[in-house]
Amino acid sequence: MGEEEQQVGWAFETLAIHAGQEPDAGTGAVVPPISLATTFAQREVGVHQGYEYSRSGNPTRTAMEEQIAALEAARHGLAFASGLAAEDNVIRLLEQGRRILLGNDAYGGTFRLIAKVWSPMGYPWTAVDLGDLDAVVAGWPEDTGMVWLETPTNPLLTCFDIEAIAEIAHERGALVVVDNTFATPYLQQPVTLGADIVVHSATKYLGGHSDVVGGFLAVDDDTIADRLRFTQNAAGAVPSPFDCYLVMRGAKTLGVRMDRHSENARAIVDLLIEHPAVDRVLYPQLPDHPGHAAAARQMRDYGGMVSFTVAGGEEAARRIAASTELFTLAESLGAVESLIEHPGAMTHASAAGSPLEVPDNLIRLSVGIEHASDLVADLAQALERA
Ligand SMILES: *Cc1c(COP(=O)(O)O)cnc(C)c1O
C-alpha cells in the first residue's frame, strides 16, 4: 500500500490505530491475527514469505513493531520480552570497558542491571546529575560510550533537556538512550530530539492494562537498528505473539488514555499541594519542579505519574500507602487502574545505599483513568491517616 508514504503526515492517533495494522492479506481480518506458528513453510530452500522461525521474526510481532516505531517517529522498532530485556540488548552494543553515564534517578531495575550485572563484567558506570550540564561537561569521563536517562525520572519525575544532552553526548562520541516509559510517545518523542535509542517498558503505558510484560526499542539509525536486531535474535529475549497482540491493542488507545491520565493527575496534584500532611509534591507541570522548563518544551502534557513526600516521615508514608481503597498498593504503573506505592521499600529497594537511593518518606502514585472525584476522595481519606 505504499505504506511509508501514506504514514507520512498521519497524526499520532491515526498511526496508533493504523500503522502496521493493514487487514490480513489472506482473510481480510481487520485485526492482525495472533500468529502462533513457530516455523514457516518455504517454497524452495531459502525461499519464503519473510518469515522462517518465530524467534527471528513473527508476523504479530512485526505488526506491533511497526505500530510502536511509528508512534515514536522512528524508522525501526524491536520488541522484547520485558523492558529489562530490551535494556540488556542496548548495553550489548557497548564495547567492554566503555562507560555508561546514568542519570542519578532511574528505575531500580535499570540501576541493578547496570551496576550489578554489567559493571562486574567490565562495563563501568557513573551516576550523574543531568540537570547540571556544565558539571556533566566538566566531569565527562573519556571512556563514556553511552548516556542513559529517563525523563521524567522514576520515581522523582525530574525532567531533563533531551536535545541539550544529545548534543553534548554526540560531540563526545557517546550514544544517547532515553527511557520513555513514563512520558510515552504521545507526550514526548525522544528520537525527534536527538536520542539514538528509545527504551520502553511496554508493561506500563503502552500495554496500559496491567496484563502484559513487554519491552521495546525504537531507533532511527539503520546501523544501530541492524546491530540491535542481530542481538534480539541471537540472545533471543523476544515476546510471545500473544503478548505482542496485547501491547498492540493497548497502544491503540494510548492518546486518549494519556489525556485522561494527565487530567486526573492534575486533580490529584491540586489536592496534595494544599494538604498539610504533604511535604513536597513532585509533578513536572509545577513551575518550581526540577526540569519544568525542559518538560514544557519537549512534552505535550505532563502525564499520569505523581510523587510526593510526607511531612510525617516514613511511618506516615507507609500508613498512607496502606490506607487507600481505590488506589491499589502495588508496584508497576501506567495502567487504567490507579496504584500507590512506597518506592524506598518496593520498586527502588535495590537502590538503597547507592547514589540512586530515594527518600524514605516518598510515595509514588500511578494515577489511573477512573473518575477524578473518586480518586481525590480516596486519597484525601488516606491522607487523614498520616
Ligand atoms: C518498569 C520499568 C522498566 C523495566 O521494565 P520491565 O517491563 O518491568 O522489565 C524500565 N524502566 C522504567 C522507567 C520502568 O518503569
Side-chain angles (χ1 to χ4, degrees), residues 200-263:
H200 275 282
S201 171
T203 315
K204 317 294 171 49
Y205 287 105
L206 293 182
H209 296 75
S210 297
D211 55 8
V212 57
V213 170
F216 199 81
L217 300 176
V219 183
D220 220 32
D221 182 85
D222 294 342
T223 309
I224 298 173
D226 283 349
R227 289 176 62 196
L228 289 169
R229 184 126 358 242
F230 175 83
T231 313
Q232 179 195 38
N233 178 52
V238 294
S240 77
F242 186 66
D243 289 354
C244 293
Y245 160 78
L246 284 173
V247 171
M248 190 157 60
R249 173 176 161 128
K252 288 180 182 177
T253 56
L254 184 63
V256 286
R257 283 189 285 111
M258 292 314 292
D259 281 342
R260 182 59 67 85
H261 282 297
S262 301
E263 202 180 299

Side-chain angles (χ1 to χ4, degrees), residues 122-157:
Y123 296 77
W125 70 288
T126 307
V128 289
D129 177 5
L130 293 167
D132 184 351
L133 293 180
D134 291 339
V136 170
V137 168
W140 187 268
E142 280 295 303
D143 56 356
T144 301
M146 204 174 260
V147 179
W148 192 296
L149 66 139
E150 299 174 8
T151 177
T153 61
N154 182 357
L156 300 177
L157 305 173

Side-chain angles (χ1 to χ4, degrees), residues 81-85 87 107 110 150 154 179 181-182 199-204 213-215 332-333 364:
S82 71
L84 282 170
E87 294 186 14
Y107 174 65
T110 301
E150 299 174 8
N154 182 357
D179 184 332
T181 300
F182 271 36
V199 173
H200 275 282
S201 171
T203 315
K204 317 294 171 49
V213 170
S332 200
L333 62 111
R364 189 189 76 183

